[in-house]
Amino acid sequence: MIIMYLLFLLCKKLNKHKPWIETTYHGIVTENDDKVLLDPPLIALDKDAPLRYAGEICGFRIHGQNVPFEAVVLDKSTGEGVIRTKDKLDCELQKEHTFTIQAYDCGEGPDGSNMKKSHKATVHIQVNDVNEYSPVFKEKSYKATVIEGKKYDSILKVEAVDADCSFQFSQICSYEIVTPDVPFSVDKDGNIKNTEKLNYSKEHMYKLTVTAYDCGKNRASEDVLVKISIKPTCKPSWQGFNKRIEYEPGTGSLALFPSMHLETCEEPITSIQASIMLETNHIGKGCDRDTYSEKSLHKLCGASAGTVELLPAPSNSVNWTVGLPTDNGHDSDQVFEFNGTQAIKVPEGVVSTTLKEPFTISVWMRHGPGSREKETILCNSDKTEMNRHHYSLYVHNCRLVLLLRQEPTESENYKPAEFHWKLDQVCDKEWHHYVLNIEFPAVTLFVDGATFEPFLVTEDYPLHASKIETQLTIGACWQGGSARMTQYFRGNLAGLMIRSGKLENKKVIDCLYTCKEGLDVQLPEEVASSVKVEFNPNQSSLSLEGDDIESFEKVMQHISYLNSRQFPTPGIRHLRISTTVKCFNEETCISVSDSEGYVMVLQPEEPKISLSGIDHFARGAAEFESTEGVTLFPELRIVSTITREVEVEAEAEAEAEDDPTVQETVVSEEIMHNLDTCEVTVVGDELNGDHESLEVDLAQIQQRALEMSSSNVGMVITGVNTMANYEQVLHLIRYRNWHTEALFDRKFKLVCSELNGRYISNEFKVEVNVIHTANPMDHANNAMVQPQFINQVQHASVDLSGHNLANTHQASVVPSAATVVIVVCVSFLVFMIILGVFRIRAAHQRTMRDQENGKENEMDWDDSALTITVNPMETYEDQHSSEEEGDEEEEESEDGEEEDDITSAESDSSEDEGGEQEDQQGSSRQQQLEWDDSTY
């Protein structure tokens, strides 16, 4: 026992020291590895070494909660150990671990008694990351909207993340656009921008595919879709109206901007001004006006008589403008072109040689750039010997100049002679209306209805007395001394008028200039006071001003186009809207661009003017020679129709078809409109004023505000009036001929037109035959005279599609009913006389003589109505034979009982008398049948 105790004491003394380890350790471990690299290495020392057990290290103990590490002794004698992971580490969950560790020896024996522990050392272990995760975008897709025409530094930013814990593997090092050939790029931070200016018209939206890479070169697990929409540039402008606006003639006013609104790009504004211009300079003389003759327009505008038209449309009676080139239409708006080489002389008598003051000169003119040379519009100068200009109107260097030289007077003082106006309108190549009211020494100029005073007036002496006649010219000035034209005009002229003895009043001038088309606006009551509206004189433009956009837009939506012409000129009328706004912030105030569109006036339905009536009749020569004459158009009718296509819905025959079919049907309907000219022309030889004429009641003409002119080729009635009034006047036209001996027929042609020849009727031709009558005193017994042939009458009617015109009256060209009976009876008697000669010459002669006396008394009638018609188309012999054959056939159908009542005595007497009378009539007829057949 004592020995064992001594040994125990000895052993106890042997394990004197504690193990020793470092105070701090730092370790690194990779996610997918279990071995920890420590610095310094894990080694425990014990001073009791090399004693067994007491100097050996038996283990390491780790202190901490849920520490995923364990420490293992590799060599007890050296105290070397390692730290390793118990489970797989996840850096993404915990990147660092800290815990404490102790070393303990083996004690003093195998049982580990008297074991000693070292101090606790702190261990810091960092978990190294493995690039196990790919980048992931934060959004499933990205969207952005950009405005066209602009380059952006950054449109939008895409962003991806990486779940790796380390800086290296968790950072996104680059982005890439996968979609090829797109005008975009992306930088390393994910900012996408456009590489060129985008165009909405080219592409409305771009779809891009973008991917990302981390710094470990891992690509995103899923690429992301980026949508970039292109928005049109927000340009402050008027929106919501059609660029093309169709106008159907006859529909009244048409709203131009019913859905219009102003896009301000969210910029607050304080006031707005706009002007709407309807450009019609290319239509007619500056806009759509009535294309009647200028003289007719003056009447329509209320001008009194006395106006002389110097540039009328060429016709049979007015021909001095025939050689001038025209503008080939403008829908019959008569415009004459002067190219610097043409001029015309106005015939004598058209205008008085000396104008009676006051007087007016008016003209439509379109003139281009100014010239250094004088360009004469109108000139009255010496006809021969000298070159003096009595009065003239000319253009010089964009100036309009009126020269008015006073006639010789007792005083030789200076007097105003030249009046100058400097006007932009003279050289702007646009149509303008000029009116000069001259009441010497005052001269007033109206241009498009506006008054202009001369800026310069020069004086000159009155002209010297001279007996030289003057020559009125248009387009140049006549030089009487050299007998040539000078100072040619270059431009277009129309409606040149002179009115002597009276000035034109302002009301008539405005009427002549006013357009038949223009802009109109009906202001709603709720905005009438908040928006100011002003029109120009011809309503081709209007200006608006207001401070409330909503009210302003309502007014714009009520602006309309109106064309009051029944048959407007088709074509384009350009529209332009100019807008100015004021903003709260003047520096950022928007600028509204001009808006443009056009009104398309559609082609109007063209009227078909149809003339119908009796086109062939005959009258006795006495009627032609009477003071009343023969009415040429007694049953004339004037009808105008238009033909249009209409869509008619028709039910389908099959019940299974629910939708009705649409069929196009042509419908003709009668319309009413005015006429401005009707011309009656002689077909064939011209009228011989010595013995024939066309006449009409001038009082009836003037009562209807019409005018009549006549010549040896016919008659022209002019003036704007209804078709009914023209009908009434044409019914009054009479033809007279007071020498009808050699006249057998006359032919006439009637043509009516509207709008200065824009719409022309059919040619209605009338043939009038003359019935020549024999003198009753030439024959002892009219009962024995063979009847002459009677012309057959033909009636013409005009086929009017879609109209049932009233049947024209059948005109009787044969004599009265009594005359027909007499002719039949005479023919019958002649036939019976011839037959009785061969049948009953010898029988019952005395009885028949008594009956003959009674029959003669019975046949004693008034033969004043008996007429003998000469047919100039056949010879007498052919007529005679054919008439006898016709009489025989006719008499055979009559009651045959009369044959038995005729006595032989009557036959003998009648035969003798008939033979003598027939011989006389034969020679007489042969003389009558000798006519001048040169015209046949």
Side-chain angles (χ1 to χ4, degrees):
M1 291 294 290
I2 297 171
I3 296 172
M4 291 179 66
Y5 179 72
L6 291 173
L7 290 171
F8 173 74
L9 292 175
L10 181 62
C11 292
K12 185 177 179 180
K13 294 180 179 179
L14 290 175
N15 193 13
K16 299 179 181 180
H17 301 92
K18 297 178 180 180
W20 178 88
I21 58 177
E22 297 289 342
T23 59
T24 302
Y25 293 92
H26 293 274
I28 298 174
V29 64
T30 304
E31 281 185 308
N32 57 0
D33 195 1
D34 61 349
K35 185 177 182 180
V36 179
L37 298 177
L38 287 178
D39 183 26
L42 181 59
I43 299 175
L45 301 176
D46 195 324
K47 292 182 179 181
D48 292 328
L51 295 177
R52 188 180 179 185
Y53 298 113
E56 294 177 342
I57 303 300
C58 278
F60 296 94
R61 182 174 296 172
I62 294 175
H63 300 277
Q65 293 183 352
N66 301 321
V67 178
F69 296 96
E70 62 180 1
V72 180
V73 178
L74 297 178
D75 189 345
K76 292 182 178 182
S77 59
T78 60
E80 183 180 358
V82 293
I83 298 176
R84 61 188 182 187
T85 62
K86 294 189 293 183
D87 299 311
K88 187 176 180 180
L89 299 179
D90 191 348
C91 177
E92 288 71 31
L93 294 178
Q94 189 171 348
K95 298 172 65 174
E96 293 182 353
H97 296 269
T98 301
F99 53 87
T100 58
I101 188 172
Q102 281 183 316
Y104 58 91
D105 56 19
C106 296
E108 296 179 350
D111 57 356
S113 60
N114 198 20
M115 177 187 63
K116 292 187 181 292
K117 300 178 181 180
S118 68
H119 60 276
K120 292 181 179 180
T122 301
V123 179
H124 300 280
I125 298 178
Q126 179 180 343
V127 181
N128 282 352
D129 188 24
V130 174
N131 195 11
E132 56 186 327
Y133 292 100
S134 297
V136 176
F137 286 96
K138 288 185 175 182
E139 304 289 341
K140 292 183 178 180
S141 63
Y142 292 86
K143 296 180 181 180
T145 300
V146 296
I147 299 175
E148 66 173 346
K150 182 179 179 181
K151 290 189 70 174
Y152 291 83
D153 293 333
S154 178
I155 296 175
L156 78 160
K157 182 179 181 179
V158 295
E159 188 175 359
V161 295
D162 195 310
D164 289 314
C165 64
S166 64
F167 178 82
Q168 178 184 3
F169 299 136
S170 65
Q171 294 297 309
I172 306 300
C173 283
S174 64
Y175 293 90
E176 181 182 342
I177 296 176
V178 179
T179 306
D181 301 327
V182 290
F184 299 94
S185 64
V186 60
D187 60 16
K188 64 178 182 178
D189 296 323
N191 295 306
I192 297 177
K193 64 179 181 180
N194 54 319
T195 57
E196 62 184 47
K197 293 181 179 180
L198 304 177
N199 193 330
Y200 175 81
S201 60
K202 182 179 179 180
E203 194 73 43
H204 292 0
M205 175 184 289
Y206 288 91
K207 295 181 179 180
L208 316 176
T209 301
V210 180
T211 191
Y213 293 91
D214 62 20
C215 294
K217 301 300 182 181
N218 266 6
R219 181 174 174 172
S221 56
E222 290 185 6
D223 297 338
V224 71
L225 177 64
V226 179
K227 296 180 181 180
I228 300 177
S229 299
I230 312 303
K231 183 179 180 181
T233 304
C234 183
K235 298 178 180 178
S237 61
W238 290 102
Q239 303 289 332
F241 75 98
N242 295 326
K243 303 297 182 183
R244 175 188 170 100
I245 305 165
E246 292 188 353
Y247 179 80
E248 184 175 351
T251 56
S253 61
L254 173 67
L256 297 176
F257 320 114
S259 303
M260 174 178 276
H261 68 277
L262 180 62
E263 174 61 60
T264 61
C265 297
E266 301 181 357
E267 181 70 26
I269 65 174
T270 58
S271 66
I272 179 172
Q273 294 178 339
S275 63
I276 299 90
M277 289 162 284
L278 180 71
E279 299 177 3
T280 60
N281 294 335
H282 60 291
I283 303 296
K285 297 190 292 288
C287 68
D288 210 359
R289 295 181 173 90
D290 284 328
T291 55
Y292 297 118
S293 68
E294 199 68 22
K295 195 170 184 179
S296 297
L297 289 175
H298 273 70
K299 283 190 174 182
L300 289 176
C301 289
S304 57
T307 303
V308 179
E309 188 171 5
L310 299 181
L311 283 175
S315 65
N316 292 329
S317 58
V318 179
N319 57 9
W320 66 82
T321 58
V322 171
L324 283 179
T326 64
D327 64 344
N328 294 324
H330 276 305
D331 294 290
S332 300
D333 197 0
Q334 198 66 52
V335 173
F336 295 95
E337 181 181 353
F338 295 83
N339 61 9
T341 61
Q342 299 109 335
I344 60 173
K345 295 181 179 180
V346 179
E348 294 183 7
V350 175
V351 179
S352 174
T353 55
T354 58
L355 293 176
K356 180 181 178 182
E357 293 185 8
F359 65 93
T360 299
I361 300 175
S362 63
V363 66
W364 285 93
M365 181 177 71
R366 178 171 60 186
H367 183 259
S371 172
R372 294 183 179 180
E373 302 294 330
K374 292 181 180 180
E375 299 179 48
T376 301
I377 301 170
L378 177 69
C379 181
N380 187 36
S381 58
D382 288 334
K383 197 170 187 177
T384 58
E385 299 181 20
M386 304 177 70
N387 298 328
R388 298 179 305 168
H389 297 180
H390 293 250
Y391 64 85
S392 67
L393 182 65
Y394 62 90
V395 174
H396 187 209
N397 288 333
C398 293
R399 298 180 182 182
L400 185 67
V401 182
L402 173 68
L403 170 66
L404 183 60
R405 298 290 301 277
Q406 293 298 302
E407 296 299 323
T409 59
E410 294 181 359
S411 62
E412 295 294 330
N413 299 329
Y414 273 106
K415 293 184 178 181
E418 280 191 339
F419 302 82
H420 297 250
W421 292 269
K422 190 172 184 180
L423 303 168
D424 294 335
Q425 293 91 328
V426 172
C427 295
D428 64 0
K429 294 185 179 180
E430 302 291 346
W431 279 107
H432 297 285
H433 187 227
Y434 301 85
V435 178
L436 291 105
N437 276 344
I438 298 105
E439 190 170 18
F440 192 82
V443 178
T444 304
L445 172 66
F446 297 88
V447 181
D448 298 337
T451 306
F452 292 86
E453 296 296 332
F455 82 97
L456 176 64
V457 177
T458 61
E459 296 181 341
D460 202 348
Y461 284 110
L463 294 171
H464 297 292
S466 173
K467 294 183 179 181
I468 300 174
E469 295 181 352
T470 60
Q471 175 66 59
L472 184 62
T473 56
I474 300 173
C477 204
W478 176 254
Q479 300 287 10
S482 56
R484 63 187 182 90
M485 293 284 190
T486 60
Q487 302 175 6
Y488 284 96
F489 179 77
R490 293 175 177 83
N492 297 95
L493 298 176
L496 180 57
M497 310 284 290
I498 288 184
R499 184 183 185 189
S500 180
K502 194 171 182 180
L503 299 179
E504 205 72 272
N505 61 57
K506 185 66 167 57
K507 182 179 179 181
V508 173
I509 294 172
D510 291 340
C511 175
L512 292 171
Y513 176 68
T514 300
C515 295
K516 293 294 184 179
E517 64 178 340
L519 301 174
D520 191 19
V521 61
Q522 299 295 330
L523 291 179
E525 294 182 0
E526 62 272 17
V527 299
S529 59
S530 59
V531 179
K532 182 181 178 182
V533 181
E534 292 182 354
F535 285 91
N536 71 335
N538 62 357
Q539 290 191 297
S540 62
S541 68
L542 63 88
S543 59
L544 308 177
E545 184 176 355
D547 52 12
D548 181 68
I549 294 182
E550 184 177 353
S551 299
F552 203 94
E553 290 176 346
K554 286 184 179 179
V555 175
M556 292 290 291
Q557 292 168 5
H558 284 79
I559 295 176
S560 59
Y561 169 80
L562 176 64
N563 195 317
S564 60
R565 293 189 66 190
Q566 187 175 10
F567 306 108
T569 304
I572 292 175
R573 277 77 163 162
H574 290 282
L575 280 170
R576 180 184 297 272
I577 305 174
S578 301
T579 310
T580 304
V581 298
K582 292 183 179 180
C583 310
F584 288 101
N585 188 348
E586 294 296 334
E587 295 181 357
T588 62
C589 193
I590 59 176
S591 176
V592 181
S593 59
D594 290 352
S595 299
E596 295 184 353
Y598 62 92
V599 177
M600 172 59 75
V601 179
L602 302 179
Q603 179 75 37
E605 300 290 345
E606 295 193 0
K608 178 183 178 182
I609 305 173
S610 301
L611 310 179
S612 63
I614 303 171
D615 67 347
H616 192 182
F617 59 91
R619 293 289 185 269
E623 292 189 41
F624 288 91
E625 296 176 355
S626 66
T627 58
E628 295 298 327
V630 175
T631 302
L632 291 181
F633 312 107
E635 302 292 337
L636 177 70
R637 283 206 64 197
I638 304 177
V639 177
S640 183
T641 59
I642 58 172
T643 303
R644 65 179 66 191
E645 293 183 355
V646 296
E647 294 183 352
V648 180
E649 292 188 357
E651 296 292 337
E653 295 183 359
E655 296 182 356
E657 296 183 4
D658 296 331
D659 297 333
T661 58
V662 177
Q663 300 177 350
E664 289 188 353
T665 304
V666 176
V667 177
S668 181
E669 59 184 63
E670 184 174 340
I671 62 170
M672 302 301 297
H673 58 79
N674 291 331
L675 297 177
D676 61 0
T677 303
C678 279
E679 185 172 3
V680 181
T681 308
V682 179
V683 179
D685 294 339
E686 295 181 354
L687 294 174
N688 188 335
D690 294 336
H691 62 265
E692 60 180 341
S693 66
L694 287 175
E695 298 178 359
V696 68
D697 190 345
L698 291 179
Q700 296 292 331
I701 292 281
Q702 295 172 356
Q703 182 180 347
R704 293 168 175 80
L706 299 174
E707 292 187 358
M708 185 274 294
S709 62
S710 60
S711 65
N712 56 352
V713 296
M715 176 184 294
V716 180
I717 299 174
T718 59
V720 181
N721 217 314
T722 63
M723 293 187 294
N725 280 338
Y726 264 93
E727 264 190 16
Q728 295 172 8
V729 170
L730 292 172
H731 289 167
L732 302 176
I733 295 179
R734 307 180 306 275
Y735 170 66
R736 289 188 60 205
N737 191 313
W738 45 94
H739 292 297
T740 59
E741 292 83 359
L743 178 68
F744 294 97
D745 59 44
R746 255 307 195 182
K747 297 178 182 179
F748 301 90
K749 177 179 66 176
L750 172 63
V751 176
C752 294
S753 64
E754 162 69 335
L755 293 174
N756 208 18
R758 179 176 175 183
Y759 302 117
I760 303 176
S761 72
N762 60 305
E763 291 185 354
F764 179 63
K765 295 182 179 179
V766 173
E767 180 178 350
V768 183
N769 295 118
V770 182
I771 302 175
H772 292 277
T773 59
N775 191 342
M777 299 300 296
D778 294 340
H779 307 284
N781 191 343
N782 283 325
M784 306 308 299
V785 178
Q786 287 276 356
Q788 300 300 312
F789 291 97
I790 301 172
N791 290 334
Q792 298 297 321
V793 180
Q794 299 178 357
H795 304 282
S797 61
V798 179
D799 183 17
L800 298 179
S801 178
H803 292 273
N804 293 323
L805 300 178
N807 293 329
T808 57
H809 298 286
Q810 303 297 322
S812 176
V813 298
V814 298
S816 63
T819 304
V820 175
V821 173
I822 292 172
V823 172
V824 172
C825 291
V826 171
S827 302
F828 170 75
L829 287 175
V830 172
F831 174 74
M832 290 299 102
I833 290 170
I834 298 173
L835 184 62
V837 171
F838 297 99
R839 292 184 58 186
I840 55 175
R841 176 183 294 271
H844 310 291
Q845 183 173 3
R846 181 172 299 178
T847 303
M848 293 300 99
R849 185 178 295 111
D850 295 336
Q851 293 178 0
E852 179 183 359
N853 294 333
K855 179 65 68 175
E856 287 178 356
N857 295 331
E858 179 183 351
M859 296 299 292
D860 193 10
W861 67 77
D862 181 13
D863 61 349
S864 60
L866 177 62
T867 60
I868 302 175
T869 304
V870 177
N871 189 338
M873 304 305 296
E874 302 180 26
T875 64
Y876 168 75
E877 290 78 10
D878 294 336
Q879 296 172 7
H880 185 68
S881 61
S882 62
E883 183 175 356
E884 285 184 348
E885 293 174 1
D887 290 340
E888 290 175 2
E889 294 175 1
E890 181 178 358
E891 295 301 340
E892 288 175 0
S893 64
E894 299 291 338
D895 189 357
E897 295 179 359
E898 295 184 7
E899 296 179 3
D900 297 333
D901 296 336
I902 302 177
T903 63
S904 61
E906 180 184 4
S907 300
D908 293 340
S909 175
S910 300
E911 183 179 5
D912 295 338
E913 294 177 1
E916 295 175 1
Q917 292 183 5
E918 286 173 6
D919 292 338
Q920 294 175 2
Q921 293 181 31
S923 60
S924 175
R925 288 175 181 173
Q926 289 178 0
Q927 293 175 2
Q928 291 179 5
L929 289 173
E930 293 178 0
W931 66 82
D932 181 9
D933 59 352
S934 60
T935 59
Y936 293 90

